Amino acid sequence: GSSAKHTILENDGVLEMVNSQAVTTVMDGEETPPFLNPMDKVYEEVVEYLTQSKFAQFLEMKKTKQGFVIKVDSGAFFDEGKSQLKEEHLSILDKIVELLKLFPNNLSIEGHIGKTFTSTDAFPSRMDLSIARAVSTCQYFLNKGIAPERLGVAGYGSYRPLSSDAQGTGRVSDNRIEITILNIEKNN
């Protein structure tokens, strides 16, 4: 069969997904239908842009059952053992914010810390540091205009390492922030 073409239009905060089968309009504050396939188009465009950018060395992106996941190596944002965002690569987050503003979907921000870790008074465990980094990233998004009701934060310490057979290019280590644009689910 032939695949339908998708176009995403943004008009005054209204997103429209148009293909040969359906037209879906998603507006803030309204119950939203699930996306059909616009995430595929966004995924392709974002991957193309980011893999050709100076940010490619810090990122991995993939589609999962949960949504569109952007994994960013923590070394791009944080000094070792710290949770304060470094200024030098905030433009990576700014590009991600631009993407996030295109969709009404909820977002998950997860912090992960690898096996190599030195505890400090501020962060006695990997869990503490992973949560603090996710919160710092979330606060940055809030400051850039992402609505607080869209955001969820979690820290997993070293309990969810990247598996050796994970799909991806290997650019991102276990020390990472994962930002997921969650799929919209039907409310029953």
Side-chain angles (χ1 to χ4, degrees), residues 4-11 14-27 33-42 102-105 184:
K5 292 193 175 196
H6 296 92
T7 305
I8 299 170
L9 308 169
E10 183 175 23
N11 299 320
V14 177
L15 293 173
E16 293 181 343
M17 188 273 297
V18 181
N19 69 24
S20 61
Q21 319 282 301
V23 175
T24 302
T25 301
V26 181
M27 300 179 77
F35 281 114
L36 300 179
N37 280 323
M39 293 295 279
D40 292 342
K41 178 68 172 163
V42 170
L102 294 175
F103 294 93
N105 304 52
I184 293 177

Side-chain angles (χ1 to χ4, degrees), residues 57-60 70-82 110-118 125-127 129-130 133 156-162 170-178:
Q57 63 182 320
F58 302 113
L59 301 169
E60 286 183 13
I70 304 169
K71 297 178 185 180
V72 186
D73 194 289
S74 290
F77 296 146
F78 305 101
D79 289 324
E80 190 170 333
K82 305 284 185 193
E110 299 177 359
H112 299 268
I113 305 297
K115 297 285 185 196
T116 305
F117 171 78
T118 304
S125 74
R126 290 176 183 88
M127 190 69 72
L129 183 57
S130 67
R133 286 180 172 181
Y156 292 103
S158 61
Y159 295 105
R160 294 190 181 181
L162 295 173
R171 289 186 293 262
V172 177
S173 72
D174 284 338
N175 290 312
R176 67 194 187 278
I177 294 291
E178 291 190 12

Side-chain angles (χ1 to χ4, degrees), residues 41-55:
K41 178 68 172 163
V42 170
Y43 176 80
E44 291 169 16
E45 290 177 6
V46 171
V47 168
E48 183 178 338
Y49 171 77
L50 290 176
T51 55
Q52 294 176 8
S53 76
K54 63 183 178 181
F55 310 130

Side-chain angles (χ1 to χ4, degrees), residues 123-161:
F123 304 110
S125 74
R126 290 176 183 88
M127 190 69 72
D128 294 317
L129 183 57
S130 67
I131 291 168
R133 286 180 172 181
V135 168
S136 289
T137 305
C138 178
Q139 189 61 52
Y140 189 81
F141 289 165
L142 289 169
N143 292 341
K144 293 293 183 174
I146 301 295
E149 62 272 12
R150 293 180 58 197
L151 297 167
V153 175
Y156 292 103
S158 61
Y159 295 105
R160 294 190 181 181

